[in-house]
Amino acid sequence: MTFQEQIQQGIPSVLPKPKPYETDINHAPKRKEILSTEEKKLALRNALRYFEPQHHTELIKEFSEELETYGRIYMYRLRPDYKMYARPITEYPGKCEQAKAIMLMIQNNLDYAVAQHPHELITYGGNGAVFQNWAQYLLTMQYLSEMTDEQTLTMYSGHPMGLFPSHKEAPRVVVTNGMVIPNYSKPDDWEKMNALGVSQYGQMTAGSYMYIGPQGIVHGTTITVLNGFRKIKRSPKGGLFVTSGLGGMSGAQPKAGNIAGCITVCAEVNPKITHIRHSQGWINEVIDDVDKLVKRVALAQANNEIVSIGYLGNVVDVWEKFDEENIHIDLGSDQTSLHNPWAGGYYPADISFEEANIMMADNPELFKIKVQETLRRHTTAINKHTAKGTYFFDYGNAFLLEASRAGADIMAENHIDFRYPSYVQDIMGPMCFDYGFGPFRWVCASGKPEDLAKTDLIACQVLEEMAKTAPEEIQQQMQDNIHWIKGAQENKLVVGSQARILYADAEGRVKIAEAFNQAIAKGEIGTVVLGRDHHDVSGTDSPYRETSNIYDGSRFTADMAIQNVIGDSFRGATWVSIHNGGGVGWGEVINGGFGMVLDGSKEASKRLASMLFWDVNNGISRRSWARNEGALFAIKRAMETQPLLKVTIPNIVADNLLDF
């Protein structure tokens, strides 16, 4: 069968033969035993409902073994034989260009060069899944190949509920992930529902088909590192940034450190992912001996080098050893998947990676104890460095939250706030999000590198023209973004699809998108898919990350994210998504995303102007109502440019009136 025929057949009527378990692939760790005997039977019933009854006898034993061995039913047998990657849009079967673009984006999320655990359909973050099993993937791709522009596909946590009649201006796909009743949002609730096959953790851009590899966070990480050094009034040159995590999004850190111009040490316990990042050029060197690491870093500091070093080992050893040897750390953070601390997101010290994986599945209570012991050690070592002048910030991965739950010395003197800020509180919130700057993305659906190069040039020209008249308040952001896009090609950021990320405000996003659409209409480039990271101005309500610099008491509300997705859906998005969970954990965040296909048409031009303006200004308005100074400036400026926009502005109460 051709690739197109395989897509169109969906779940095959004749079952493929079982596939061997490929040990050279980076697999998800075994999930802990959480289902009762009756619940295991229910999980099997749920899995088998994808198949005709004549196949049940053959599959039930196999699926039962998967559940026992891996803690989940992945249906490995149904994994396609064709190579998984984002093909040019013309190679996908279908009746609808928008649906073909979505198929392209789904396959990019599962590309072996992109996905963290491709055989388990997990893109990043240890549990950020595109689908729960391979039957869902096959059925979804089949539906998309049949879809017309008068239908909408509804996705329930990876399950394609079906194609429903709609209309041309409606979203082609509406995605929900993990949207459970609030009282059932504890980590073990996810473990159970995911094992039953009824819910999944979509992370942010995994379950919404908008992941573009580590590049997706490189720009934001670069801005964070640059502004971190600016905050401590030190040049990045010769400065040391210490962090950990080389998996999905965290793998961007060493590349960002190189772009910012500092020395980066990034620890990682997983040998496979460490060597993958090294082979991809995302880290310059790999060292597995902490004494050798000390000597190498001291040399780099003495020579003011720009270098990224992957330390194959536990980051706690780095913090402790650097303290003993008086290696000064300028910036410190952590980007392990601490939203998922008990299932592979964070590993205990003094235990090998292999032993920890066994303990995680076979003795989860002991594993939890060891993780929390390590968090306390980790925090103690960080505190010693900050006493010497290190600037440490939480990177939005729930480090501070989980350290506090472990009883670490992480609280401020008031015993209410954390000792250290979230990077959104200190850097990204006041410097970017409040002004509307966030991670705008695009993918060249032709798959041609030359199309990506043309879009880079177009975006740069738009930004340089805007910078001529931009107000002083956002000149730094504009110049950082121009510098970024000019260096995008030489920094070799592409992994998987021909994609780019660029921090831009609403005006920039609309103008860049319109310039792309005009170039498509002229035949200069092919179809372009727009999107963004959910880690943005408006899409995500997350009290310990995206909305951590909201101080009016509304940090724990999620109106903004829900309004964002509803508003995007009727303003022209090609697909929309809303998730429970993200980088800080299940039950800790609600986040929404979108995708938009530009085809050069007048309709696309109208949609992009309407949707992108709302997608950003929804968040700015919420931030301005919280009395954030930058957001007040930004929303007033937006109202001057758009007469149909009228936002409620807060009245500021004098501090002395509250002293009674």
Side-chain angles (χ1 to χ4, degrees):
M1 296 175 71
T2 65
F3 167 72
Q4 288 81 6
E5 289 170 338
Q6 289 182 74
I7 292 292
Q8 290 170 316
Q9 78 165 341
I11 298 173
S13 56
V14 178
L15 293 177
K17 293 181 180 180
K19 289 181 169 60
Y21 187 83
E22 298 182 23
T23 55
D24 59 335
I25 296 296
N26 190 34
H27 287 285
K30 179 185 177 182
R31 307 304 184 184
K32 69 179 181 181
E33 184 92 9
I34 198 164
L35 300 183
S36 67
T37 300
E38 288 304 310
E39 287 169 335
K40 288 177 181 178
K41 292 178 181 179
L42 180 57
L44 290 168
R45 286 184 188 274
N46 290 343
L48 290 169
R49 59 184 159 179
Y50 287 100
F51 303 91
E52 297 176 359
Q54 65 263 31
H55 299 311
H56 289 183
T57 301
E58 181 178 357
L59 291 175
I60 192 165
K61 183 179 179 183
E62 184 178 318
F63 289 172
S64 179
E65 288 176 355
E66 284 189 13
L67 190 59
E68 291 296 327
T69 305
Y70 310 114
R72 298 292 186 272
I73 301 172
Y74 296 115
M75 307 182 188
Y76 289 121
R77 175 198 289 247
L78 296 181
R79 187 167 47 81
D81 293 323
Y82 51 74
K83 186 177 179 181
M84 193 68 70
Y85 69 101
R87 292 162 172 77
I89 193 169
T90 53
E91 294 187 20
Y92 291 92
K95 305 170 184 176
C96 170
E97 190 81 355
Q98 293 180 332
K100 292 179 184 180
I102 297 169
M103 285 191 273
L104 179 158
M105 297 300 291
I106 287 172
Q107 290 201 313
N108 186 66
N109 269 23
L110 296 171
D111 185 333
Y112 284 20
V114 174
Q116 184 181 15
H117 305 306
H119 286 192
E120 289 77 37
L121 302 117
I122 291 171
T123 302
Y124 70 96
N127 57 3
V130 189
F131 301 99
Q132 296 180 64
N133 58 58
W134 285 102
Q136 292 179 346
Y137 165 83
L138 295 176
L139 193 53
T140 299
M141 297 297 277
Q142 181 186 37
Y143 277 137
L144 290 169
S145 74
E146 298 171 353
M147 174 186 285
T148 71
D149 59 11
E150 299 286 338
Q151 292 174 302
T152 293
L153 175 62
T154 58
M155 299 294 301
Y156 280 42
S157 282
H159 170 67
M161 191 61 71
L163 291 169
F164 290 81
S166 59
H167 56 85
K168 190 173 182 179
E169 296 304 316
R172 296 282 68 80
V173 180
V174 175
V175 179
T176 55
N177 279 303
M179 298 305 293
V180 302
I181 305 303
N183 275 353
Y184 302 90
S185 265
K186 297 183 293 296
D188 275 359
D189 292 325
W190 169 75
E191 293 279 2
K192 178 168 288 190
M193 284 183 266
N194 194 226
L196 287 171
V198 296
S199 192
Q200 77 171 12
Y201 197 99
Q203 261 288 348
M204 291 187 143
T205 52
S208 58
Y209 326 140
M210 192 44 70
Y211 190 67
I212 58 171
Q215 180 189 177
I217 200 173
V218 172
H219 192 190
T221 305
T222 301
I223 291 171
T224 301
V225 174
L226 280 173
N227 284 312
F229 278 107
R230 287 169 183 157
K231 190 170 182 66
I232 62 174
K233 296 179 172 58
R234 193 219 195 281
S235 168
K237 191 174 183 180
L240 176 59
F241 172 42
V242 171
T243 185
S244 58
L246 283 172
M249 295 300 242
S250 57
Q253 296 177 105
K255 173 72 82 171
N258 279 7
I259 296 170
C262 66
I263 302 160
T264 304
V265 172
C266 191
E268 171 60 58
V269 296
N270 186 333
K272 283 183 180 177
I273 198 63
T274 302
H275 293 302
I276 286 171
R277 292 290 175 248
H278 187 232
S279 67
Q280 291 173 337
W282 290 75
I283 47 177
N284 301 129
E285 303 172 16
V286 176
I287 296 175
D288 60 5
D289 183 296
V290 73
D291 291 312
K292 292 179 180 178
L293 179 67
V294 167
K295 292 177 182 178
R296 181 67 186 92
V297 170
L299 179 64
Q301 287 179 317
N303 294 332
N304 285 335
E305 291 184 53
I306 298 173
V307 64
S308 56
I309 304 167
Y311 173 68
L312 182 51
N314 200 292
V315 72
V316 175
D317 296 330
V318 177
W319 282 99
E320 291 177 342
K321 189 68 174 180
F322 281 17
D323 174 52
E324 293 172 15
E325 300 294 336
N326 288 317
I327 297 290
H328 180 70
I329 299 171
D330 295 285
L331 300 184
S333 194
D334 182 86
Q335 209 175 67
T336 52
S337 298
L338 263 164
H339 68 278
N340 183 31
W342 324 126
Y346 183 91
Y347 280 77
D350 300 332
I351 301 173
S352 74
F353 180 63
E354 293 75 17
E355 290 173 327
N357 281 330
I358 293 169
M359 184 189 295
M360 187 192 310
D362 295 347
N363 195 343
E365 290 305 314
L366 179 59
F367 183 81
K368 182 175 181 178
I369 290 170
K370 294 295 183 183
V371 163
Q372 293 193 321
E373 285 176 356
T374 301
L375 280 167
R376 291 193 290 272
R377 275 179 59 185
H378 195 162
T379 303
T380 298
I382 288 168
N383 291 344
K384 290 179 179 178
H385 282 276
T386 57
K388 300 175 186 179
T390 297
Y391 172 59
F392 183 87
F393 54 90
D394 183 289
Y395 222 143
N397 65 329
F399 175 79
L400 297 178
L401 184 63
E402 287 303 330
S404 70
R405 289 169 175 170
D409 182 13
I410 204 72
M411 304 307 294
E413 291 183 3
N414 63 11
H415 303 293
I416 298 172
D417 300 317
F418 293 127
R419 178 182 293 206
Y420 304 112
S422 155
Y423 74 117
V424 174
Q425 286 178 291
D426 264 17
I427 299 171
M428 296 304 290
M431 295 180 180
C432 291
F433 293 166
D434 284 354
Y435 289 99
F437 286 86
F440 183 50
R441 295 177 174 183
W442 64 89
V443 176
C444 295
S446 66
K448 297 177 181 178
E450 56 266 35
D451 274 12
L452 183 59
K454 290 175 185 175
T455 60
D456 286 345
L457 181 61
I458 291 169
C460 188
Q461 290 171 340
V462 169
L463 291 179
E464 288 182 324
E465 188 61 31
M466 287 175 58
K468 293 176 183 177
T469 57
E472 182 180 352
E473 287 85 349
I474 60 171
Q475 276 293 337
Q476 181 70 70
Q477 294 91 325
M478 296 295 295
Q479 295 307 317
D480 282 348
N481 294 334
I482 291 168
H483 177 76
W484 162 266
I485 199 68
K486 283 184 173 179
Q489 293 287 324
E490 65 182 74
N491 286 318
K492 299 179 180 178
L493 299 163
V494 170
V495 176
S497 60
Q498 294 297 315
R500 184 67 71 228
I501 186 169
L502 172 68
Y503 268 56
D505 61 2
E507 181 185 6
R509 298 183 206 201
V510 171
K511 287 184 175 179
I512 291 169
E514 177 57 29
F516 289 169
N517 203 48
Q518 290 179 15
I520 297 166
K522 295 173 185 175
E524 296 171 1
I525 57 174
T527 301
V528 171
V529 179
L530 300 181
R532 58 161 167 75
D533 192 350
H534 303 200
H535 174 57
D536 196 10
V537 182
S538 177
T540 298
D541 282 296
S542 179
Y544 297 107
R545 196 165 79 177
E546 283 79 3
T547 45
S548 60
N549 69 318
I550 300 292
Y551 301 111
D552 68 349
S554 68
R555 284 197 304 161
F556 296 93
T557 64
D559 300 84
M560 181 177 72
I562 301 299
Q563 289 281 358
N564 176 261
V565 170
I566 294 172
D568 283 358
S569 70
F570 67 75
R571 286 179 171 87
T574 304
W575 73 96
V576 293
S577 63
I578 187 75
H579 302 178
N580 168 19
V584 296
W586 175 270
E588 304 285 358
V589 51
I590 300 295
N591 66 87
F594 78 88
M596 174 178 278
V597 177
L598 300 184
D599 57 8
S601 66
K602 291 180 180 178
E603 290 80 7
S605 180
K606 182 179 178 181
R607 287 194 293 266
L608 73 86
S610 175
M611 201 222 78
L612 294 176
F613 182 86
W614 154 260
D615 190 67
V616 176
N617 281 292
N618 168 51
I620 296 176
S621 64
R622 186 267 177 96
R623 294 169 187 277
S624 72
W625 186 240
R627 297 180 289 272
N628 290 19
E629 187 177 344
L632 282 164
F633 165 83
I635 203 65
K636 290 175 182 177
R637 182 167 176 253
M639 285 192 283
E640 290 172 3
T641 62
Q642 172 52 269
L644 294 178
L645 177 66
K646 187 175 182 180
V647 171
T648 308
I649 300 297
N651 293 296
I652 307 302
V653 179
D655 290 342
N656 66 308
L657 290 179
L658 301 173
D659 296 330
F660 59 87

